[in-house]
Amino acid sequence: MSMLFDEDAELDDEFVSAAFASDDVRAMEKPLLESGVPLMHMAASAVAMSARVMMARAHVSPDDAQIVLLAGGGDNGGDGLFAAAELADQGIPVTAVAVGTSLHAQGLAAFERAGGEVIVLDPRAAITGHEAPADVEEAQEAFDEALEIAENANLIIDAMTGIGLVGALRGIPAHVAAELGRESGLPESMALPKGESLGAFPLVLAVDTPSGIGVDDGTLPGPYIPADVTVTFGAMKPCAMLPPSAYACGQLVLVDFDFDTAPFTPAVEAMIPRTAAQMIRMPHIADSKYSRGVVGLITGSQSYPGAAVLSAHAAAVSNVGMIRYCGPTRAEDLVLREVPEAVMGQGHVQAWVVGSGVPSAEADENGDDVQRERIRTLLARYDATVDGSADMPPIVVDAGALDLLPETCTSQVLITPHAGELARLIAHRDDDAAAAEVTAADVLAEPLHWATRAWEITGATVLLKGAITVIVGYDEEGESSVVVSGSAPAWLASAGAGDVLAGTLGAVLAQGADTLRLFPDQVGLHAAVGAYIHGLAAQLASGSMQSGWNRPVVYDPADVLGFFSDMLPITHSPEHAHYLQGSLGQPITATDVIRDLTTAFSLLIRMYDDHDEDDAGDEDLIDPDEGPDDVIDAEPDDLGDDDDADDDLGDDDPDDDGGVYLDADRDYTDEELDELAKKLLG
Ligand SMILES: NC(=O)C1=CN([C@@H]2O[C@H](COP(=O)(O)OP(=O)(O)OC[C@H]3O[C@@H](n4cnc5c(N)ncnc54)[C@H](OP(=O)(O)O)[C@@H]3O)[C@@H](O)[C@H]2O)[C@@H](O)CC1
Ligand SMILES: Nc1ncnc2c1ncn2[C@@H]1O[C@H](COP(=O)(O)OP(=O)(O)O)[C@@H](O)[C@H]1O
């Protein structure tokens, strides 16, 4: 059956791609808790199972496993204690460290019944049966002892705080996080395929959310512990999708509690292949080059003609009928050399792209850049107070054109700043005194906040570029709506990549023109599709299976074996780095991305085709007769002892290492494209 019309796959897609604010998640869990569904036990089992997977793939046998639980005083700590009890009952002892003044009573009782040890850090703690340090000196000793045990463990289960975190971590949890995780700033881990980590022991499993990260706004407000795996419950939370906190979550596991999410509006949605595929305009039988979409570009300049070539070429290969280019003669010549199909001069278009490679006011000291004048005249027609502005075609406003925006834009205006450009735009336009000082670092620290602020003060749809690109647009009621796209590998961060993105965005908006006329609020969604395809092309070009955001593995309590087979192929141990499941890829240029844009489209279009289910592959890593216990006991060599598994794990042949290698000079067979689609689109 076609991937697009498989209802189970569609439900799964909806589940993993919608994140809800923590209050909504609490409201979702309420009816289940009231009817007696043991959510905490279900959460704990998923954590225990994930811990065992992490040990198995780091090749630590249960007898050697040293696990430390950091337990806070709330329900997050309760999940951790029940999970630790389950592990202890299975013969894997866990030492619990109480970081607060209390512990979840039933969780503690279960942990004690399983024979668990508790170290209490806070002298003010009142935890029945466990003595608190008598004074500061004893507290310091307990802290040092706990730290030493944790640093020497194979695995830390971080259950200090979950969705109940208020502000930045403070007190003992803050000290613990600063010692075991990071004091502040972005995680520094290398960009590895599919959320894998080369992190040395101790590995970190975060319960629901890594402690210390901003659950609803995606910030990193203070000390936090970056995780190798985050097991999150019931529904995705914004912090697992938004930058920069999502970079601290590692591989995501989403536990299905069968919540009724229908009454709630997602706070953030992630662009996924299904949505991107559904929004690509397929050719119609009576199409003409005009009806397939025409993109007009006013990009490049005398000083930066290369941006004209990159944006025009990218637009031309992104599924439109025609492109028109306007610019200085030198840029026109270069564009024609690369894209002979391009038509020079202005005319009727379904979408505009302006500003890439055009100097800003600051750079154009004498104010004589003719491109700026053209853009200024065009953008004046997008002033929301001007008659007819609502009927203008969508327009991508990039780079040097960002300072030419009218006072209040219509929603068809899509601005595409990177962090530095967004900071400049806010500093120039925001009346708020504090905003005048905003820097790129501030924007990187709070991307959602500043992108939303730009949306408020300009009225435009905002696409803030990054490893996870954040798009703030409109919903049907005119409120803000947030979509993220994280399909690109870090290799994409290179000069000109933004020019290519602008071209692709223009093309996606042009082919969506009919829809956008009826639903102008969908500019943001189209923008996210463009960013997704751009990132996918970069994955193809670089041969990398790393991307800014990875789809979570769904944990279904009724299919634990399925969970093991989804999780096991990835390894988390320095000694086994050669087992990386996906390829690291290679450096690319913006031109390489353009070369693979058509293949990116074709992979998504193939989701409409019928595919024979191919049973060979990752599923075969687990023998159906082999239970989880056999898996955790397995020796390294046993983990890959069938032929397919061997191919997937650590074969040195680059054609067989799970990486994706595209050769621009050859045509790919259907089977090869199917294989690519499976690897990249999940
Ligand atoms: N959703 C679901 O379906 C399910 C949810 N479940 C679980 O419940 C969790 C939510 O539990 P929750 O409401 O008890 O809050 P939680 O995250 O434990 O935080 C409270 C603790 O953190 C502390 N603390 C707070 N801020 C702090 C700071 N700045 N700095 C330092 N400490 C701070 C606070 O300390 P206090 O302020 O009280 O001193 C208190 O001890 C959720 O994440 C999930 O794991 C599952 O069991 C079942 C299904
Ligand atoms: N770490 C990263 N991982 C993935 N993609 C990234 C990363 N950093 C930047 N990008 C992407 O690379 C592109 C860079 O665009 P931009 O900064 O505008 O480049 P330029 O202005 O030189 O064309 C954007 O699409 C952005 O989303």
Side-chain angles (χ1 to χ4, degrees), residues 398 418 421 465-467 469 488-499 501 534 548:
D398 191 29
H418 53 57
E421 289 165 341
K465 292 179 277 200
T469 289
W491 297 116
L492 180 60
S494 65
D499 307 332
L501 174 67
H534 179 242

Side-chain angles (χ1 to χ4, degrees), residues 83-173:
E86 205 166 311
L87 288 166
D89 281 338
Q90 292 159 358
I92 309 172
V94 181
T95 305
V97 177
V99 299
T101 50
S102 61
L103 281 178
H104 187 275
Q106 294 93 331
L108 177 61
F111 183 61
E112 285 168 342
R113 276 196 301 277
E117 294 280 325
V118 181
I119 301 174
V120 180
L121 300 187
D122 195 327
R124 299 165 306 167
I127 302 172
T128 314
H130 301 276
E131 248 178 63
D135 51 30
V136 177
E137 212 169 292
E138 273 192 25
Q140 186 62 51
E141 279 168 25
F143 187 86
D144 292 343
E145 182 198 355
L147 209 62
E148 193 182 330
I149 298 176
E151 280 170 345
N152 291 308
N154 311 115
L155 178 70
I156 293 174
I157 300 177
D158 166 17
M160 295 200 292
T161 61
I163 61 174
L165 175 75
V166 181
L169 278 181
R170 52 187 153 67
I172 291 172

Side-chain angles (χ1 to χ4, degrees), residues 52 560-561 564 622-633:
R52 299 182 67 195
V560 172
L561 277 183
F564 265 80
I622 303 275
D623 181 333
D625 298 329
E626 200 177 82
D629 291 326
D630 304 302
V631 175
I632 195 161
D633 288 338

Side-chain angles (χ1 to χ4, degrees), residues 59 81 89 95 126 153 158 229 234 277 380 450 478 537 575 582 606 635 649:
H59 308 293
L81 285 164
D89 281 338
T95 305
D158 166 17
V229 172
W450 292 113
E575 305 93 273
R606 291 178 69 77
E635 287 302 313
L649 294 177

Side-chain angles (χ1 to χ4, degrees), residues 142-219:
F143 187 86
D144 292 343
E145 182 198 355
L147 209 62
E148 193 182 330
I149 298 176
E151 280 170 345
N152 291 308
N154 311 115
L155 178 70
I156 293 174
I157 300 177
D158 166 17
M160 295 200 292
T161 61
I163 61 174
L165 175 75
V166 181
L169 278 181
R170 52 187 153 67
I172 291 172
H175 288 301
V176 170
E179 291 288 344
L180 295 174
R182 287 187 63 82
E183 180 97 43
S184 62
L186 301 178
E188 282 171 347
S189 40
M190 200 169 118
L192 295 175
K194 302 281 175 197
E196 296 172 66
S197 90
L198 285 184
F201 293 133
L203 299 168
V204 176
L205 188 171
V207 177
D208 208 14
T209 68
S211 298
I213 69 175
V215 179
D216 287 335
D217 64 7
T219 58

Side-chain angles (χ1 to χ4, degrees), residues 296-301 308 311 324-328 346 352-358 370-376 378 395-396 398 401:
L297 299 109
I298 310 178
T299 53
S301 58
S311 54
R324 299 182 188 276
Y325 176 75
C326 280
Q346 300 207 16
W352 284 105
V353 179
V354 301
S356 318
V358 172
V370 46
Q371 291 290 71
R372 284 184 61 81
E373 270 325 295
R374 284 196 182 111
I375 296 169
R376 193 192 307 276
L378 178 60
I395 184 166
V396 178
D398 191 29

